[in-house]
Amino acid sequence: MVTKSRHALTHALHKGEEWIFRSPKIVLSLVLLVTILFGCALPSLRVYTDFSDLLPQNHPYIKVYNHLKENFGGANMIVMAVEVERGTIFNDETLKLIHDATQTVDNLPGVNHNLVNSLTHRTARKVFLDDQGGFASESYYDAQKPTRTVAELEQLRNDVIANPTIYGLLVSPDMKAALIKAQLNEGDIDYPATFAALQKGREILDKPGHKIYVTGNPVLTGWVYTYLNQILLIMMWTLVLLSALLIAYFRRLYGIALPLLGIALSSIWGLGFMAAMGINLEPLSLPIPFLIAARATSHGVQLVVRYYEELAIVHDGKKAARNALDALFRPGSLAIIVDAVGIAVLMLGAAPFNFKLGLAAGFWGFSVIFTVHFMVPLALTILPAPKNHENGNQGIRDFLARTMALTGGTEGGARSILILSLIGAIGGAYFVTKVQLGESEPGSPLLHLNHDYNVSTKAINTRFPGSEELHVIARTEEKGGIKRPEVMAAIERFQAHMLSDPTLGGTKAMPGVLRVVNKLTHNDDPRWMQLPDTSDEIGGLMFAYMASSPIPGALKEFVNADENEANMVFYYKDHQAETISRIVVLAEEGIKKIQAEVPGLHIELGGGIIGVTAAGNQALHTDHMIIIPAVMLIAFVIVMIYYSSLHAGWLMVLPMLFSTLMTYAYMGALNIGISVNTVPVIAVGVGVGIDYAVYFMDRIREEYALLRDMKKAVVNAVATTGYAVSFTAVTLVAGVVLWIFMSDLRFQSDAAILLCFMLIVNAIAAVLIVPSWCVVFMPKFVTAVHYDEDHILEND
C-alpha cells in the first residue's frame, strides 16, 4: 500500500514536471510576475530594532517589567559618567560639566523626563528643617550660581555623603565621578536619532581633565546602527566573492549568471515578503539572510553542475536541462523543504523576534523552489545550448574519486572514518558541558572588548555599585498597603537578604528615604534613623518628603500613586549568565521566605536589564530545548517519509547530529554563550547538513541502481555530487566569511566564524560519514532501488 502510494505520488510529480517543461515561458513569467510584486513592497522594508520583540512577552518577569517600566523605569536606560582626573568632582568646573551633561541627557529624543537622575538634576534635593520647624528642600546644585566658596563646596560634599540615595549611587564613593541616568520611553524609541544626539553631546562635553563614559542598552543598540553602512559594504564584497568563485569553478556564462540570478530572485522574494508582512529586518540577524541567499546559490550550483554533466552525455541543451531537473527535483525539493521547515521552527520561540524571523526566513527558504529549483532548469531550456560540452575541473574530480577509493570506498577505510567520527563526538561532548545559556562575559559580546561601549561599562562599574539594574516590586492587595510598618520592614529584610550576594554593589528603596526623613524630624539625631511603628507615621514622613519638594512626584521612583506598590532597585556590575542565575535563585529564596512572614505582601521579579535578561535566559533554555531537537525531528520525519525508511531518516540526520555536537563543543571551547542572537544562527546552520546529505545520498542511490556495487557507487558519487557539495560548501562559507574580517561588530564576526565552522563540518560529515555508513551497513533503502518505466528511481 505504501509502495503504491509512493509510486502514485512520484508519478504525479513526474506529470507536473512534464507540464512545467512544456510551458517554460509561462512558469518563468509567473516567477517574474511574483518577483515584481515582491519588489514593489521592498521600499517599505525597515531595518530597525524593536526591543519588545526580543523579550518573551508571556514570561512572568516580562509581565512585571511591562507593568512597572512606566512608573519605575525599564531596561532602556542611558547611563553617563563624568569622571575627573585630578581631585574630586566638588569644584565649580566639574559641577558645571555634570550639570551640562545632565541637560544633554535630559534633552535626548525619547527621554522620560520624570525618570532622569543626577546630582545636579532638579529632582535631587537636600531635605532639611527650616527656621519654623517645617520641612523644606533645595537642589544640591544651583545653575544660577556658577561659583561657590571653599566652605560651600565642603558643605555640598558633606550633604551628599549624608544622603544614601545620592552617595555611592549617583556620586562615586571616592568622589571622583558622578552618574547621570535617564530612561527612554519604550513606545517609540528612535535609536539612531537618540544615539546621534548623545554622541554629539559627548563631543561638546569633552573637556580637558575629565572623561565621559556612556553605557546602557540604547547606547549598545545605537552603536550597532552605526555599522549599517559597513554591512552594506560587506554585502557588496560578498557578491563579488561569490561571482569570483563561480567564475573560477564554471568558467561558463550559465554557471555564473544563473546562480547569481537565483540569489537576486530569492532575495527579492524573501525581503519583499518581510516588507509586505510588516516584519522589520533586525541588524543583528543579518548574517542569516546572507546564509539563506548563499544556500539559494548552492542549489543553483547543483542544478547547473548536473546540467553540464548531462550535456556532456546527451549533447542537447533542452534534454540536459530536463534530465538535470529529473535527477535533482525530488532530492532538491526535499532539501529545500526540510531547510524551510527547519528554519520556520524558530516560530516556536518565546520572543516575537523568533516568530517573525522564523516566518520570514522560512518563507524565504521555501521560495528557493520557485526562484532557483524551477527557474534554473527552465531558463536553460530556452537559452541556447553551450557549444562546449566537456566537463570542466575533471582533474579535481578524478583526484576526489581516487581519494575516496582509498579511504571510504574500502570497508576498512569506511569503518575507520566512522570510528574516528565517534571518537571526535565523544571528545566534543566534554566541551559541550562548558556552554552557557546567556552572556558568558562582562560588558557586551556584540562589541569587541576594547570598544568604547565596553570600556565605558567597565569604567562605570569600577567606580559605582553597578550599571546593571534589577527592579523588584513589592505589592500589597489594598491601596496604601505599602505604608504598613511590617511591609516596610519586610522590604528592608529582602534588601538585606539580597546583599548577601557579594556581587551586589548597592540597593535603593523607600525604607532608606524614611529613615533619613525620620532623623530630620528629630533634630537630625542619628538615633532616630529608624522605621516608624505605625502606618500613620510612615504616611506622614512620606507626605513631609513630598511637601518639601516643589517638584511633583518626588517619591515616584519609589512608590506608585495608589501607594500599593514599591520599587526596589539592586545594582550589579554585569549580566553574565552565571551572575543572573545566582541572583534569581537568591531572590526566589527571599521572596518565598518573606511572603510567608507578611500576609498580603507580594514580591515580584523583575525589571531592569537584569530582570529582562533573566527572563530571556529562562525562555532561551526552553526555546533551545525545543527548537534544535525539533529541527532534527522534522528532518528525520520528512526524510523517513520520503524514502519510506527509518534507516534513511537516521542516516540523513546523522551528519546533522555530528556537526551540531561539534558546534556546541566549539562554542564551549571558545566561551561563546547561547543567546537570543545565537540560537537562530545555530538553527539555520544545523539545517545546512541536510542539503549536503540528501544530494549526496540520492546520487549514491542513482549510482547503485546502475552499478549494483556500493563501493563503486560511493566513489562515483564523491567524484560528481561530492565535488559539487564541496564547492557549494565553499560558496556557503563565502556568503558569510567576509563578516569575520570586515565587520567591526564582534557578534557578527563570531557568528560568521560559528557558521563557517558548522558549514565545513556539515560538508565533511556528509561527504565522509554518509558514504562510509553505506559501505559498512549497506542500508536497504539504498540497495533495494531500481529505475521504473519513466526512468524514475524507486524502491523495489
Side-chain angles (χ1 to χ4, degrees):
M1 183 66 181
V2 174
T3 303
K4 289 183 178 179
S5 298
R6 177 178 169 80
H7 183 81
L9 177 61
T10 55
H11 280 266
L13 292 173
H14 184 69
K15 295 293 183 183
E17 286 181 46
E18 289 182 339
W19 179 85
I20 289 171
F21 272 95
R22 284 198 304 268
S23 315
K25 293 182 179 179
I26 294 175
V27 176
L28 289 175
S29 297
L30 290 173
V31 171
L32 178 62
L33 177 62
V34 176
T35 303
I36 292 172
L37 292 175
F38 278 126
C40 291
L42 283 177
S44 62
L45 180 66
R46 298 178 63 193
V47 181
Y48 69 93
T49 296
D50 187 338
F51 184 71
S52 63
D53 275 355
L54 303 177
L55 307 180
Q57 294 296 328
N58 291 325
H59 194 283
Y61 294 178
I62 302 304
K63 291 180 179 179
V64 172
Y65 169 78
N66 290 333
H67 173 70
L68 61 79
K69 66 184 179 183
E70 292 301 325
N71 286 331
F72 304 125
N76 274 295
M77 173 181 283
I78 294 176
V79 181
M80 177 183 285
V82 176
E83 181 181 284
V84 64
E85 294 181 357
R86 293 184 180 181
T88 70
I89 64 169
F90 295 105
N91 63 80
D92 290 329
E93 182 184 11
T94 302
L95 289 171
K96 184 179 185 305
L97 182 60
I98 296 169
H99 173 70
D100 291 342
T102 302
Q103 297 305 305
T104 297
V105 171
D106 203 0
N107 290 326
L108 291 175
V111 164
N112 185 332
H113 303 292
N114 293 320
L115 294 174
V116 176
N117 289 299
S118 162
L119 171 65
T120 63
H121 193 258
R122 63 184 183 278
T123 56
R125 308 184 70 81
K126 173 188 174 183
V127 181
F128 57 92
L129 297 177
D130 60 21
D131 295 338
Q132 286 75 39
F135 277 90
S137 69
E138 63 182 13
S139 298
Y140 285 99
Y141 181 79
D142 184 358
Q144 304 302 316
K145 187 177 181 181
T147 60
R148 296 178 180 233
T149 65
V150 173
E152 287 173 331
L153 290 171
E154 183 64 23
Q155 182 60 50
L156 174 58
R157 178 179 179 276
N158 293 334
D159 291 340
V160 166
I161 293 174
N163 190 340
T165 64
I166 301 292
Y167 179 63
L169 300 182
L170 294 178
V171 175
S172 63
D174 61 4
M175 308 289 185
K176 294 185 70 66
L179 283 188
I180 301 98
K181 295 184 176 183
Q183 294 281 346
L184 297 187
N185 296 307
E186 291 188 8
D188 187 24
I189 300 177
D190 188 339
Y191 289 107
T194 301
F195 183 74
L198 181 63
Q199 289 297 87
K200 183 177 180 180
R202 287 183 72 181
E203 292 178 10
I204 297 172
L205 293 170
D206 189 24
K207 295 288 189 298
H210 297 84
K211 294 179 180 178
I212 307 293
Y213 300 108
V214 185
T215 187
N217 185 68
V219 182
L220 175 61
T221 306
W223 276 116
V224 170
Y225 273 91
T226 63
Y227 295 107
L228 288 179
N229 289 334
Q230 184 185 73
I231 290 170
L232 293 175
L233 182 64
I234 294 173
M235 180 178 68
M236 293 173 56
W237 280 108
T238 298
L239 288 174
V240 171
L241 178 58
L242 288 173
S243 302
L245 287 172
L246 291 170
I247 291 170
Y249 179 73
F250 284 105
R251 299 186 294 279
R252 296 177 179 184
L253 177 62
Y254 296 164
I256 300 163
L258 290 178
L260 291 177
L261 179 60
I263 285 183
L265 293 179
S266 67
S267 297
I268 291 172
W269 281 44
L271 294 174
F273 176 80
M274 294 181 70
M277 297 295 292
I279 299 174
N280 59 295
L281 195 58
E282 163 64 49
L284 289 176
S285 69
L286 283 175
I288 292 175
F290 273 67
L291 182 60
I292 296 173
R295 286 167 85 166
T297 308
S298 73
H299 290 291
V301 167
Q302 292 281 352
L303 285 162
V304 177
V305 167
R306 190 60 179 258
Y307 168 77
Y308 283 125
E309 285 182 13
E310 296 294 332
L311 187 65
I313 298 171
V314 302
H315 303 291
D316 182 295
K318 290 185 178 181
K319 179 64 175 174
R322 175 64 189 271
N323 289 350
L325 186 61
D326 276 343
L328 297 182
F329 176 72
R330 283 166 291 280
S333 298
L334 174 65
I336 291 169
I337 290 170
V338 174
D339 285 350
V341 175
I343 297 172
V345 169
L346 288 170
M347 295 170 67
L348 299 175
F353 165 74
N354 283 334
F355 182 88
K356 292 180 179 180
L357 180 62
L359 178 64
F363 174 83
W364 192 337
F366 183 74
S367 72
V368 172
I369 285 182
F370 305 100
T371 58
V372 175
H373 215 51
F374 288 163
M375 183 277 294
V376 170
L378 291 179
L380 288 168
T381 62
I382 62 176
L383 291 170
K387 295 180 180 180
N388 182 7
H389 295 169
E390 294 183 3
N391 267 322
N393 307 310
Q394 190 61 45
I396 300 176
R397 297 174 188 224
D398 292 341
F399 171 76
L400 288 174
R402 288 193 300 270
T403 303
M404 194 63 187
L406 295 173
T407 55
T410 66
E411 190 161 337
R415 291 184 184 277
S416 298
I417 289 172
L418 294 178
I419 291 171
L420 289 173
S421 299
L422 179 61
I423 293 172
I426 293 172
Y430 167 76
F431 291 101
V432 171
T433 60
K434 297 182 178 294
V435 180
Q436 293 187 32
L437 281 168
E439 309 296 359
S440 58
E441 60 187 39
S444 173
L446 301 182
L447 303 168
H448 292 283
L449 292 176
N450 61 352
H451 191 278
D452 176 83
Y453 177 84
N454 282 329
V455 170
S456 291
T457 301
K458 183 178 180 180
I460 290 172
N461 286 330
T462 299
R463 293 284 184 195
F464 292 90
S467 60
E468 317 286 355
E469 294 186 358
L470 168 65
H471 290 230
V472 180
I473 190 169
R475 179 174 55 82
T476 61
E477 296 170 359
E478 75 281 8
K479 291 184 178 181
I482 288 299
K483 294 184 290 187
R484 288 159 47 194
E486 64 271 24
V487 171
M488 282 295 172
I491 292 173
E492 274 203 329
R493 288 201 304 278
F494 183 78
Q495 288 180 280
H497 175 80
M498 296 297 289
L499 282 166
S500 64
D501 187 327
T503 63
L504 177 59
T507 177
K508 180 176 70 173
M510 191 67 228
V513 176
L514 291 176
R515 287 179 177 273
V516 172
V517 177
N518 199 18
K519 183 185 72 166
L520 283 173
T521 62
H522 293 85
N523 298 316
D524 221 15
D525 187 340
R527 291 176 297 178
W528 283 94
M529 197 171 182
Q530 56 185 273
L531 294 178
D533 296 327
T534 67
S535 298
D536 290 340
E537 289 181 275
I538 291 175
L541 293 178
M542 291 170 63
F543 176 79
Y545 182 84
M546 290 187 288
S548 70
S549 173
I551 307 299
L555 287 178
K556 190 174 182 180
E557 63 176 306
F558 299 103
V559 183
N560 69 339
D562 289 333
E563 296 178 339
N564 66 336
E565 293 179 352
N567 184 36
M568 293 176 273
V569 186
F570 301 89
Y571 301 94
Y572 296 89
K573 296 183 183 297
D574 66 76
H575 57 273
Q576 295 180 79
E578 182 182 356
T579 302
I580 290 178
S581 296
R582 189 179 62 251
I583 292 169
V584 169
V585 170
L586 185 64
E588 295 290 355
E589 287 176 356
I591 290 171
K592 184 177 180 181
K593 178 182 177 182
I594 291 171
Q595 285 186 162
E597 296 172 352
V598 184
L601 174 64
H602 304 278
I603 300 177
E604 301 169 348
L605 299 174
I609 193 65
I610 295 288
V612 299
T613 306
N617 288 353
Q618 291 180 13
L620 186 64
H621 176 74
T622 304
D623 291 351
H624 186 252
M625 297 304 292
I626 293 174
I627 290 173
I628 304 303
V631 173
M632 300 283 187
L633 181 62
I634 288 172
F636 172 81
V637 170
I638 293 177
V639 173
M640 179 190 69
I641 293 172
Y642 175 79
Y643 287 112
S644 301
S645 168
L646 286 169
H647 199 157
W650 157 251
L651 183 53
M652 294 299 96
V653 172
L654 182 60
M656 296 171 65
L657 286 170
F658 177 78
S659 63
T660 303
L661 177 65
M662 300 309 293
T663 298
Y664 284 123
Y666 174 83
M667 294 175 68
L670 271 68
N671 199 33
I672 300 174
I674 298 174
S675 68
V676 69
N677 296 310
T678 56
V679 165
V681 172
I682 297 169
V684 172
V686 164
V688 174
I690 204 72
D691 289 6
Y692 302 145
V694 166
Y695 278 119
F696 207 84
M697 176 50 57
D698 227 66
R699 191 56 183 258
I700 292 175
R701 294 174 81 235
E702 284 183 35
E703 296 292 338
Y704 187 85
L706 294 172
L707 302 172
R708 314 310 295 184
D709 184 310
M710 183 61 74
K711 296 182 179 64
K712 289 182 179 179
V714 163
V715 171
N716 285 358
V718 169
T720 52
T721 300
Y723 179 58
V725 163
S726 301
F727 178 74
T728 55
V730 173
T731 304
L732 288 169
V733 169
V736 294
V737 71
L738 293 184
W739 294 88
I740 300 173
F741 309 105
M742 297 181 65
S743 178
D744 290 327
L745 279 170
R746 180 185 170 193
F747 165 74
Q748 289 181 338
S749 178
D750 288 347
I753 295 173
L754 185 64
L755 280 170
C756 288
F757 180 85
M758 295 184 75
L759 294 169
I760 293 170
V761 173
N762 266 315
I764 293 173
V767 173
L768 294 180
I769 294 177
V770 170
S772 298
W773 188 278
C774 290
V775 169
V776 173
F777 295 102
M778 298 287 290
K780 186 178 179 181
F781 80 96
V782 176
T783 58
V785 293
H786 66 277
Y787 284 101
D788 68 3
E789 67 277 8
D790 293 319
H791 201 69
I792 297 174
L793 192 65
E794 286 195 342
N795 293 338
D796 293 340

